[in-house]
Amino acid sequence: MLFTAVLAAVNRWYELELPTVRWFFSFEMTDGMKASFPGIAKFFTDCIGMMWLTLLTVSAILMWFLGANFEWNPMTLRRMKRFRSLTRGYRSFLLLIGLVLLTLPDHALVGRKALIVKYEGEWFFPAFIRKNYPADRFGGAADQTVNYRELKKSFARENDGNFVIMPLIPWDTTFDTDELQKIELVKREGVYYEPGSSKPYQGLATSYDPERPEAKQREATFRKGRLQGLATLYNRNGDPIGKEQWSAGTRNRQEVSDGAEADVEKMKSDDYYALKYPPCAPSWSRRHMLGTDSRGWDLFAQIYGGLQVVCKASILYVLLTFAIGIGVGLISGYFGGWFDLLTQRVIEVMSNIPFLFIVMIIASRIGRDNVSIIAIVAVMSFFSWIGVSTYKRTAALKERQRDYVAAARVLGAGMPRIIFRHILPNVLSTTITLVPFYVTGVATSLTALDFIGFGLPDRYPSWGTLLADGLANLEAPWIVGSVFVILVTLLLLITFVGEAIREAFDPKKFTTYS
């Protein structure tokens, strides 16, 4: 923890973009807040980041001091051994840890900024610094931003020693649109096919100038993998200069505008590209492993980003919910009397407040674009701690009558020490069994809120938004299918882990759960 805190501070101080640790300083003000409080955006972000770093540092120091004489309870060791013996739950736990670790590389795995650029003997690492290089730094136009995907293709064509290394998925999780995909057709024995397909291509395709890849020279229709029907010819400026008539791959007629014969003579390329508009099916050549949605955003990148959001939200949610629930429940059960009575009446009132309506009111009042992950988690935790406090209150009511609590009072132990040093460790096992199911709840709640349009804004990748988009575009089954598979897989893994923990920590060793 201490190492993570130090690394995050170094990342912020030197304006780096190191994976994972940059998250602590990612809680920026919304556009509405920036407009209301101009000039303090960086201060706000730094305050949130320093709060996290302080929490990590204090936690690390406490663990170091407490761990000096720490010994596992024999009962806990037996429970952990039993958990490892439950094959389904333990393997699900390992797979779940693997998914969490997969989110740590962050933009080094999924992102549109290059990991490494070698240009004219110099080395650059754009993905790991906050600075954005201008396009003219790599031979482009001065008034343009660098498109590293296109820069990689340009360097490959020039073949002069320059190169670009991109992440495995060279697309950002949001606002990175691939509006049009150019899929190069494969020619075999005079017949054109899509890559990986054994069926001859049918549809529109375009041929481009080899010297100027952005300039198209012929737009034609293919039937059974051969040119068929009318084709349009273009010059380098994109203006139509003639027409051709094709039949089964044979040109029957050509009409060219006056003065354009020289341009037609230069058309030697027989490479054709199929143009695909979103939503597009999976494509290895474009690095769309799962395809794109209706906005042209990469599905794999969004699912990966959604997994990151779920992990971050789960950490915040569990810490906040269980801290409040355990504290209120133990104090209420320990004191009892009027304090317990008042607490229970407050809980009863809060239990009857509809959570969904509160979220809808907040989103409509402040605007969905101003909603942040902290706001959503705070609202969810505001209602969810009630269930935790109920378990802890019941346990505290029982434990306060034990002899060890009376002995602690006689020895002069104060209320905080009795509650958190003596009672809490003895009731912690029931708390651990609740954690997986609360994580399931936060994953499903975030997805549901985004699905109905009252969750996180578009700057956050969202599984719920993808589900809504997939239902609106059922002709593109890869959208719904991809989200459904990852969501069901995650929930199953968490459920299996939760069941194994419940069985391992059950005081009745041979109890089974249906």
Side-chain angles (χ1 to χ4, degrees):
M1 288 185 180
L2 185 59
F3 175 75
T4 302
V6 172
L7 197 61
V10 171
N11 176 81
R12 184 67 175 178
W13 180 263
Y14 290 101
E15 296 188 346
L16 303 177
E17 287 289 325
L18 302 178
T20 303
V21 295
R22 68 173 184 163
W23 177 71
F24 298 104
F25 291 92
S26 64
F27 297 90
E28 297 183 354
M29 300 174 67
T30 62
D31 293 337
M33 295 174 63
K34 290 179 181 179
S36 302
F37 306 99
I40 65 169
K42 187 177 184 300
F43 176 76
F44 174 84
T45 303
D46 288 342
C47 286
I48 297 294
M50 291 308 299
M51 180 187 71
W52 278 110
L53 300 190
T54 302
L55 181 62
L56 282 177
T57 304
V58 171
S59 300
I61 294 174
L62 288 176
M63 290 178 66
W64 184 76
F65 276 110
L66 296 177
N69 299 316
F70 178 80
E71 292 184 6
W72 287 104
N73 187 297
M75 178 64 73
T76 303
L77 292 175
R78 286 197 295 270
R79 288 170 173 172
M80 293 171 62
K81 183 178 179 180
R82 189 175 178 209
F83 173 72
R84 288 193 295 270
S85 68
L86 301 171
T87 306
R88 186 178 67 179
Y90 184 62
R91 290 181 178 176
S92 298
F93 174 74
L94 295 179
L95 288 174
L96 195 60
I97 293 298
L99 283 178
V100 174
L101 293 178
L102 187 64
T103 66
L104 299 184
D106 198 10
H107 60 293
L109 180 64
V110 176
R112 62 181 168 187
K113 295 183 71 175
L115 304 179
I116 301 174
V117 176
K118 183 186 178 184
Y119 179 68
E120 295 183 349
E122 295 188 59
W123 294 80
F124 303 88
F125 305 91
F128 304 112
I129 61 173
R130 198 164 301 158
K131 173 184 175 182
N132 291 318
Y133 292 107
D136 59 350
R137 186 66 186 83
F138 305 110
D143 57 345
Q144 295 180 355
T145 57
V146 183
N147 186 331
Y148 292 101
R149 294 187 294 264
E150 297 301 325
L151 185 65
K152 180 179 180 179
K153 296 178 182 178
S154 176
F155 284 174
R157 287 193 301 268
E158 295 170 359
N159 194 25
D160 55 1
N162 300 326
F163 64 84
V164 175
I165 298 179
M166 296 293 295
L168 178 63
I169 307 298
W171 303 91
D172 269 354
T173 56
T174 57
F175 299 106
D176 192 7
T177 303
D178 191 11
E179 297 179 350
L180 182 64
Q181 292 188 34
K182 294 166 57 177
I183 301 176
E184 185 175 3
L185 300 179
V186 179
K187 187 177 181 181
R188 296 196 294 266
E189 299 179 357
V191 180
Y192 288 86
Y193 301 83
E194 286 193 44
S197 175
S198 59
K199 184 179 180 181
Y201 175 72
Q202 297 199 140
L204 289 174
T206 305
S207 174
Y208 292 87
D209 188 342
E211 298 179 1
R212 297 180 60 189
E214 73 280 359
K216 61 183 179 180
Q217 57 186 19
R218 180 182 285 113
E219 193 173 60
T221 303
F222 282 75
R223 291 289 180 271
K224 297 182 179 180
R226 301 177 186 272
L227 278 82
Q228 180 74 33
L230 191 65
T232 304
L233 306 177
Y234 297 87
N235 60 18
R236 289 194 170 190
N237 296 323
D239 301 320
I241 59 173
K243 295 184 181 298
E244 296 175 333
Q245 187 69 34
W246 293 78
S247 177
T250 303
R251 185 172 61 191
N252 298 329
R253 182 168 52 89
Q254 184 183 75
E255 297 178 1
V256 182
S257 303
D258 293 339
E261 291 80 3
D263 291 327
V264 175
E265 287 295 328
K266 295 179 181 179
M267 296 180 183
K268 303 298 183 182
S269 175
D270 60 351
D271 295 331
Y272 285 88
Y273 294 81
L275 304 181
K276 302 287 186 178
Y277 292 87
C280 296
S283 170
W284 176 263
S285 61
R286 298 289 294 177
R287 288 295 188 269
H288 292 304
M289 307 303 186
L290 300 177
T292 66
D293 64 6
S294 62
R295 298 171 295 186
W297 295 8
D298 184 79
L299 278 181
F300 189 101
Q302 292 185 79
I303 290 175
Y304 180 81
L307 181 62
Q308 289 181 310
V309 169
V310 169
C311 290
K312 295 172 184 178
S314 298
I315 294 172
L316 295 174
Y317 176 76
V318 168
L319 289 176
L320 188 58
T321 300
F322 280 76
I324 298 174
I326 290 174
V328 173
L330 290 179
I331 294 173
S332 176
Y334 179 79
F335 282 106
W338 66 268
F339 182 81
D340 182 42
L341 185 65
L342 179 62
T343 303
Q344 294 308 302
R345 300 294 80 76
V346 171
I347 289 177
E348 288 176 3
V349 172
M350 292 183 61
S351 299
N352 289 282
I353 300 176
F355 161 72
L356 182 59
F357 286 169
I358 296 298
V359 175
M360 294 173 65
I361 291 171
I362 292 175
S364 61
R365 292 292 297 174
I366 70 176
R368 189 184 178 192
D369 289 340
N370 293 324
V371 175
S372 66
I373 189 172
I374 294 181
I376 291 291
V377 171
V379 173
M380 293 172 61
S381 300
F382 182 76
F383 294 95
S384 301
W385 64 267
I386 295 173
V388 179
S389 70
T390 302
Y391 282 100
K392 298 301 104 180
R393 171 181 173 270
T394 304
L397 286 171
K398 181 177 67 175
E399 293 296 320
R400 70 176 184 174
Q401 306 298 330
R402 303 282 188 181
D403 291 340
Y404 71 87
V405 174
R409 284 202 201 96
V410 171
L411 293 173
M415 181 270 294
R417 180 177 178 83
I418 293 175
I419 292 178
F420 296 105
R421 184 68 180 84
H422 297 285
I423 295 180
L424 179 58
N426 287 280
V427 300
L428 201 57
S429 60
T430 57
T431 305
I432 296 174
T433 61
L434 294 175
V435 172
F437 302 101
Y438 273 74
V439 174
T440 302
V442 73
T444 53
S445 297
L446 283 175
T447 303
L449 288 173
D450 292 334
F451 179 79
I452 63 176
F454 289 98
L456 297 171
D458 287 339
R459 66 179 183 272
Y460 293 95
S462 165
W463 293 348
T465 303
L466 282 180
L467 279 176
D469 187 63
L471 289 178
N473 298 274
L474 291 176
E475 71 279 2
W478 54 86
I479 302 177
V480 171
S482 300
V483 184
F484 177 80
V485 168
I486 185 63
L487 184 59
V488 170
T489 300
L490 181 67
L491 296 182
L492 280 176
L493 291 178
I494 296 174
T495 302
F496 291 156
V497 172
E499 290 179 347
I501 291 177
R502 287 178 60 180
E503 185 174 347
F505 282 77
D506 191 346
K508 298 178 181 179
K509 183 176 180 180
F510 298 104
T511 298
T512 57
Y513 294 90
S514 59

